[in-house]
Amino acid sequence: KQKTVMTKLYFILIFLILGLSSCSEDEIDTYDSFNYLSFVTNDTIEVSFLMLGKDEYDCPIEVRHTGLPSYAEYKDFKVKVVEENTTMSRSNFTIPPTFTFQPMSMLDTFYVKLTNYNSLETKSEYICLELEANENFLLGDRDYRRLYLKVDNQVSRPDWWTTSGSVNVTKYFLGTYSDEKYRLLIQVVQPDFSDTSVASIRLWALTFKEWLEKNPQKEADGSTMTVPIKL
């Protein structure tokens, strides 16, 4: 009897192993049989022409391919503009009708060309993009099928202008904040805002001070633009 029980358990174990193997193969077949496309991020991409210091910008947007990549074929995919959720005029941005995904790649990048214009100084505009399924790609994760671009050219006082660490930036480096001064600082110095340490801000102020002494400027109220740091 003990031998019979062991034999039954042996066959049950064999069936379980075969069943799991079959399920695994089904999952692999399903994964490899289709190609899915999704945006890499679903966060709003913010574009500031003020920070870019230019009037045209090719905004990079990454897409992810899930499935079996093509070994040689360049596969087209489509991205549409969701008009009801887009506030920017079509005359100020360009998106090609189709894009091409590179072979042997799981990530690729396409570009939306943006153009700066006057009203971006007072309000932000939005572009809503959505991936479309076609003969090459199905749509991937539902949360990553749609993406927003927020575009502006607005200026406001950054936190570091008041204090950086224990240093009073207004008093010792850059003086009283104004939109005009900040815009000019960005234009002249072209600072790297990824580093707002005291040493970096001091260097920006020195460079800006030297430029202002050679190129005097006026504030909006007509007063002379000044920077208190000493050369």
Side-chain angles (χ1 to χ4, degrees):
K1 289 183 178 179
Q2 184 176 359
K3 185 176 181 180
T4 302
V5 172
M6 291 298 294
T7 302
K8 288 182 178 179
L9 289 173
Y10 174 77
F11 281 112
I12 290 172
L13 182 60
I14 292 296
F15 283 128
L16 286 173
I17 292 173
L18 290 174
L20 289 172
S21 176
S22 175
C23 290
S24 178
E25 288 177 2
D26 287 345
E27 289 176 5
I28 293 173
D29 288 344
T30 300
Y31 179 81
D32 287 347
S33 298
F34 299 99
N35 294 291
Y36 296 91
L37 211 59
S38 58
F39 289 121
V40 170
T41 180
N42 61 358
D43 292 332
T44 298
I45 296 176
E46 297 190 14
V47 178
S48 170
F49 279 107
L50 174 68
M51 299 303 180
L52 291 170
K54 57 180 70 174
D55 288 328
E56 286 191 343
Y57 178 57
D58 290 324
C59 180
I61 300 174
E62 287 189 310
V63 288
R64 187 190 309 279
H65 173 205
T66 305
L68 188 64
S70 168
Y71 288 97
E73 184 182 2
Y74 288 78
K75 292 186 175 181
D76 289 344
F77 66 94
K78 292 185 176 182
V79 180
K80 73 174 182 179
V81 177
V82 184
E83 300 291 352
E84 60 269 26
N85 294 333
T86 296
T87 60
M88 179 175 280
S89 168
R90 291 298 292 265
S91 63
N92 294 307
F93 71 95
T94 304
I95 178 170
T98 59
F99 300 93
T100 303
F101 207 97
Q102 305 295 312
M104 289 304 298
S105 177
M106 305 306 288
L107 288 175
D108 210 335
T109 304
F110 71 92
Y111 296 86
V112 177
K113 181 177 285 294
L114 304 170
T115 303
N116 190 16
Y117 54 98
N118 291 338
S119 63
L120 290 177
E121 293 185 6
T122 57
K123 67 175 182 177
S124 299
E125 300 288 6
Y126 291 85
I127 302 170
C128 181
L129 304 176
E130 188 172 73
L131 291 166
E132 286 190 305
N134 63 7
E135 65 277 9
N136 295 321
F137 296 101
L138 299 177
L139 298 181
D141 190 326
R142 184 178 299 276
D143 293 334
Y144 290 81
R145 299 176 184 179
R146 183 173 285 193
L147 183 70
Y148 284 87
L149 301 182
K150 178 185 177 184
V151 187
D152 63 45
N153 188 26
Q154 297 180 59
V155 59
S156 61
R157 185 176 66 183
D159 293 337
W160 54 260
W161 191 292
T162 304
T163 57
S164 178
S166 59
V167 176
N168 188 320
V169 174
T170 301
K171 182 176 181 180
Y172 295 108
F173 289 171
L174 289 170
T176 303
Y177 172 86
S178 70
D179 288 351
E180 294 74 24
K181 184 186 288 186
Y182 190 27
R183 285 187 180 276
L184 197 57
L185 172 72
I186 293 171
Q187 178 184 334
V188 171
V189 181
Q190 299 181 354
D192 177 7
F193 290 117
S194 65
D195 178 10
T196 55
S197 63
V198 171
S200 292
I201 297 171
R202 182 177 182 278
L203 180 59
W204 302 343
L206 285 169
T207 304
F208 192 41
K209 171 91 169 185
E210 185 177 4
W211 185 87
L212 282 175
E213 289 195 349
K214 297 176 181 177
N215 306 273
Q217 302 292 313
K218 298 290 186 181
E219 296 280 9
D221 62 2
S223 61
T224 301
M225 188 177 292
T226 60
V227 175
I229 194 168
K230 297 184 183 300
L231 293 174

